[in-house]
Amino acid sequence: MIVDATKAALARGLAQAKIPVVISLSLLGASLRVLGLLLLGLFLLPLGSHALWWMARGGGAADWAMADWSSAGLLRPPRASDPALVRVYAARVGRWRGIFAHHSWIVVKPDGAARYTRYDVVGWGMPVRTDGWAADGRWFGNDPQTVLALDGDDAARAIPAIRAAVADYPYRALGTYQAWPGPNSNSFTAHVLARLPEPRVTLPPTALGKDWAPPGRIVERTPSGTGIRLTLGGYAGLTIGWVEGIELNLLGLVAGLDLRRPAIKLPGWGRIGTA
């Protein structure tokens, strides 16, 4: 009798627990479907459509030797009498990588200097390069876009901080460069931008590596100092800031919103909205 009563009690308990289990499984399934649609809409569809557009237009230069590295004509020939100048440029990288990634660099000209100085980080040889290419040169044949432009007193105030940031960049030794997720050229430029006296700009969402952080640094201020960034070594993360906007990072690809200057940010396409 005792055994029969125990079996009956267990049966009643399982029957009562069945409904919560079914509800939990249903919620899990719905959550996975929403997550799948989110990934499809925010990441895969924009990236796929940009890949088709990129390949249709030729996909950039066929190889390094055939690419055009000449000046894009964004800067006039420098003169000592010209005021101080700072530029941050970004241009699509070569071949298929141009579908989703930009390379960025910094140009400075102090007041009284008769030439521009360009700083890059690259993936061959010693990472940090000075004056390796024309200050406003095309990158793998792709025209650069201006990320930041400072002139006169604004530039003069920024140049000492830029030079100090270049000098103390911690990943300058041979073998420290990693194309993905970082540290790479965009990790370097983000490091420099974070040292500017005033929050100015953020790199394009297609600047793969801009959100990279070394292991252990999960929560930190954004480079502009106007928000917070959560990052898992550049593989995934969330950024919320006044300058950066809202950015969701997945494997280096970024989707999000710019609230300060209304725009959307999409993998492949980059920032689409007001200038």
Side-chain angles (χ1 to χ4, degrees):
M1 294 292 293
I2 295 175
V3 173
D4 292 340
T6 302
K7 288 182 178 179
L10 287 173
R12 287 195 298 271
L14 289 174
Q16 292 171 358
K18 184 176 180 181
I19 293 176
V21 169
V22 171
I23 293 174
S24 297
L25 291 175
S26 177
L27 288 175
L28 177 61
S31 299
L32 290 175
R33 286 193 294 271
V34 170
L35 179 61
L37 290 173
L38 185 68
L39 293 175
L40 181 66
L42 290 182
F43 291 93
L44 297 181
L45 287 178
L47 186 62
S49 62
H50 191 264
L52 292 174
W53 177 84
W54 182 257
M55 300 309 294
R57 66 183 289 274
D63 58 55
W64 184 272
M66 296 296 293
D68 179 5
W69 303 93
S70 66
S71 168
L74 300 180
L75 294 172
R76 71 180 187 180
R79 298 177 298 185
S81 59
D82 290 338
L85 173 147
V86 170
R87 295 291 186 271
V88 176
Y89 291 122
R92 293 276 176 179
V93 298
R95 296 190 292 271
W96 59 270
R97 295 175 300 163
I99 293 170
F100 54 82
H102 273 77
H103 167 80
S104 60
W105 66 95
I106 302 109
V107 176
V108 302
K109 192 201 84 68
D111 189 23
R115 67 182 185 87
Y116 300 116
T117 300
R118 170 173 169 165
Y119 301 110
D120 292 75
V121 158
V122 295
W124 58 95
M126 300 302 292
V128 180
R129 300 294 180 89
T130 302
D131 295 331
W133 299 268
D136 59 350
R138 297 173 176 85
W139 190 255
F140 224 106
N142 298 308
D143 287 346
Q145 67 182 71
T146 302
V147 176
L148 175 66
L150 301 178
D151 295 284
D153 292 342
D154 287 343
R157 285 193 296 270
I159 287 173
I162 290 172
R163 285 179 162 171
V166 172
D168 67 14
Y169 180 61
Y171 307 102
R172 58 191 311 114
L174 188 67
T176 55
Y177 178 97
Q178 294 186 55
W180 178 84
N184 58 23
S185 66
N186 299 312
S187 310
F188 166 73
T189 305
H191 166 82
V192 174
L193 289 176
R195 300 283 289 276
L196 292 181
E198 301 173 26
R200 300 283 185 174
V201 296
T202 185
L203 286 170
T206 43
L208 188 73
K210 71 182 182 68
D211 296 320
W212 179 84
R217 281 172 50 184
I218 298 175
V219 182
E220 59 184 3
R221 294 176 67 188
T222 59
S224 72
T226 64
I228 295 295
R229 180 172 66 191
L230 307 174
T231 180
L232 298 177
Y235 295 101
L238 174 67
T239 297
I240 301 176
W242 177 239
V243 171
E244 289 82 4
I246 301 172
E247 295 185 348
L248 181 63
N249 180 321
L250 181 63
L251 302 178
L253 302 174
V254 170
L257 296 171
D258 188 338
L259 305 177
R260 182 174 61 126
R261 298 175 299 153
I264 60 172
K265 304 178 181 185
L266 296 174
W269 296 103
R271 186 181 181 281
I272 303 172
T274 58

